[in-house]
Amino acid sequence: MIRKVLSVVLAVLAVVFPFLPLGDRAAFILQIANFTVITAVLSLSWDILARTGQLSLAHAAFYGIGAYSYTILMAHATPWWLAILLSGLIAGLLSLILGAVTLRLQGMYFAIATLAFAEVIKTVIQNLPDAFAGGSTGMLVPALFNGQANAQYYAAVVLLAVTLLVSIWVRNSKMHYAFTAIRQGEQVARVLGVSASRYKLTAFFISSVLAGLAGVLYASKTFFIIPGETFSLSVSVSSLTTAIFGGLYTTLGPVIGSVILTTLEELLRLRIPNGYLVVYGIMLVLTILYLPRGIMGLLERKKS
């Protein structure tokens, strides 16, 4: 019941947000809301892969691949809708290559391999010809929907709705049982007839396509991308901490986590500009220590 109420409240709030009386800071608050929605997409996409028990640090790579693919395709006069679709698909196809090589690895070995992949992609982008990918100085990004803030925000909301539907579909399909079995032990899953490699590659592909599309909306919102920021480790860390904070292996948890953490970070940044990350980090650590199942775990405990 609590989940349904929260889902309805968040959905209604997302749709009517641009029409709320937000005062003089309406543009700034709408921008924060836009990044909150993009963070929710990225975090939920990370959680879909995490349901197989894999701790990926490559999400920054797929996020950045989406951002750079969109920018390069738009620079070559590709229609915007085709550039968006191809950008997500390119991120997904590269994830299959990475997955085929690394999915035999588990635990910290898989995490290190995915982290190395993100660094390799960043280095490759930095060393491509400046005329093609901007080099280490970055690229200007063509504005999506002529830079209209409301249209960009609703595009992010639509992507979040698609991501939620994908998550719900995965949870209600046989993939959910396969992912859970793999997470609890690949050997046991194989004995039960589950093809661990196939299901992990499927999770990797779905997760990476959504992360790439999140990167597209990020790039079109910021109007400028640079390898050092777009492929930053902080992108991967942010997606996993948001999912853990909200509640792992749930559909609503990463969304709630992104709403709380993004809003909290911005409020702390305004109040304590020189030390907000310290306070933010301490609060995050305490929350994870005392709420190991995240906000969703707390809600379920209250319900019981």
Side-chain angles (χ1 to χ4, degrees), residues 6 45 47 88 106 112 129 136 211 229 251 259 265 292:
L6 276 174
S45 71
D47 186 81
Q106 294 182 344
I112 292 171
S136 58
E229 292 183 1
T251 295
V259 172
E265 183 178 355

Side-chain angles (χ1 to χ4, degrees), residues 51-134:
R51 294 173 195 178
T52 63
Q54 299 288 37
L55 178 64
S56 172
L57 292 176
H59 251 49
F62 302 119
Y63 186 69
I65 288 168
Y68 267 87
S69 298
Y70 167 77
T71 307
I72 293 169
L73 287 168
M74 289 291 283
H76 288 79
T78 307
W80 64 270
W81 58 270
L82 184 58
I84 292 174
L85 291 176
L86 288 176
S87 299
L89 188 60
I90 290 170
L93 292 176
L94 285 175
S95 79
L96 293 180
I97 296 173
L98 173 65
V101 175
T102 62
L103 284 180
R104 290 182 182 276
L105 302 175
Q106 294 182 344
M108 67 175 182
Y109 299 104
F110 179 78
I112 292 171
T114 53
L115 175 62
F117 173 77
E119 289 299 313
V120 168
I121 294 295
K122 181 173 74 173
T123 303
V124 169
I125 292 291
Q126 286 176 332
N127 288 281
L128 288 174
D130 289 1
F132 181 71

Side-chain angles (χ1 to χ4, degrees), residues 6-20 30 33-34 36-37 150 153-158 160-161 164 255 259:
L6 276 174
S7 300
V8 172
V9 170
L10 287 173
V12 172
L13 184 61
V15 172
V16 305
F17 201 83
F19 302 103
L20 295 177
L30 184 60
N34 199 340
T36 299
V37 175
N150 282 3
Y153 169 76
Y154 280 124
V157 170
V158 169
L160 176 59
L164 288 169
V255 179
V259 172

Side-chain angles (χ1 to χ4, degrees), residues 190-215:
R190 289 195 179 96
V191 170
L192 295 173
V194 175
S195 173
S197 299
R198 181 164 65 88
Y199 279 107
K200 286 198 292 187
L201 278 176
T202 302
F204 221 153
F205 180 79
I206 294 172
S207 175
S208 302
V209 168
L210 294 171
L213 294 175

Side-chain angles (χ1 to χ4, degrees), residues 28-41:
F28 173 72
I29 295 173
L30 184 60
Q31 177 170 304
I32 299 303
N34 199 340
F35 285 127
T36 299
V37 175
I38 293 173
T39 302
V41 172

Side-chain angles (χ1 to χ4, degrees), residues 90-299:
I90 290 170
L93 292 176
L94 285 175
S95 79
L96 293 180
I97 296 173
L98 173 65
V101 175
T102 62
L103 284 180
R104 290 182 182 276
L105 302 175
Q106 294 182 344
M108 67 175 182
Y109 299 104
F110 179 78
I112 292 171
T114 53
L115 175 62
F117 173 77
E119 289 299 313
V120 168
I121 294 295
K122 181 173 74 173
T123 303
V124 169
I125 292 291
Q126 286 176 332
N127 288 281
L128 288 174
D130 289 1
F132 181 71
S136 58
T137 56
M139 300 179 74
L140 290 172
V141 182
L144 188 63
F145 306 127
N146 295 321
Q148 295 180 16
N150 282 3
Q152 291 181 333
Y153 169 76
Y154 280 124
V157 170
V158 169
L159 178 58
L160 176 59
V162 171
T163 308
L164 288 169
L165 290 175
V166 170
S167 176
I168 293 170
W169 169 67
V170 168
R171 192 164 187 79
N172 292 325
S173 69
K174 67 177 183 179
M175 276 193 287
H176 171 67
Y177 301 103
F179 288 179
T180 303
I182 294 168
R183 186 171 74 242
Q184 293 177 348
E186 281 195 38
Q187 295 298 331
V188 176
R190 289 195 179 96
V191 170
L192 295 173
V194 175
S195 173
S197 299
R198 181 164 65 88
Y199 279 107
K200 286 198 292 187
L201 278 176
T202 302
F204 221 153
F205 180 79
I206 294 172
S207 175
S208 302
V209 168
L210 294 171
L213 294 175
V216 169
L217 294 184
Y218 161 79
S220 67
K221 181 61 185 171
T222 58
F223 307 120
F224 185 78
I225 51 176
I226 184 170
E229 292 183 1
T230 310
F231 293 94
S232 169
L233 175 62
S234 64
V235 175
S236 297
V237 173
S238 172
S239 60
L240 73 91
T241 53
T242 302
I244 293 171
F245 179 84
L248 278 174
Y249 318 136
T250 65
T251 295
L252 196 54
V255 179
I256 294 176
S258 68
V259 172
I260 295 176
L261 289 182
T262 307
T263 305
L264 179 64
E265 183 178 355
E266 292 304 322
L267 288 175
L268 288 173
R269 192 200 303 271
L270 290 174
R271 297 288 182 183
I272 321 171
N274 294 323
Y276 76 96
L277 283 177
V278 175
V279 179
Y280 177 82
I282 292 173
M283 293 177 67
L284 190 58
V285 169
L286 290 175
T287 304
I288 291 174
L289 282 176
Y290 291 100
L291 293 174
R293 296 177 58 198
I295 300 299
M296 293 306 296
L298 177 64
L299 294 176

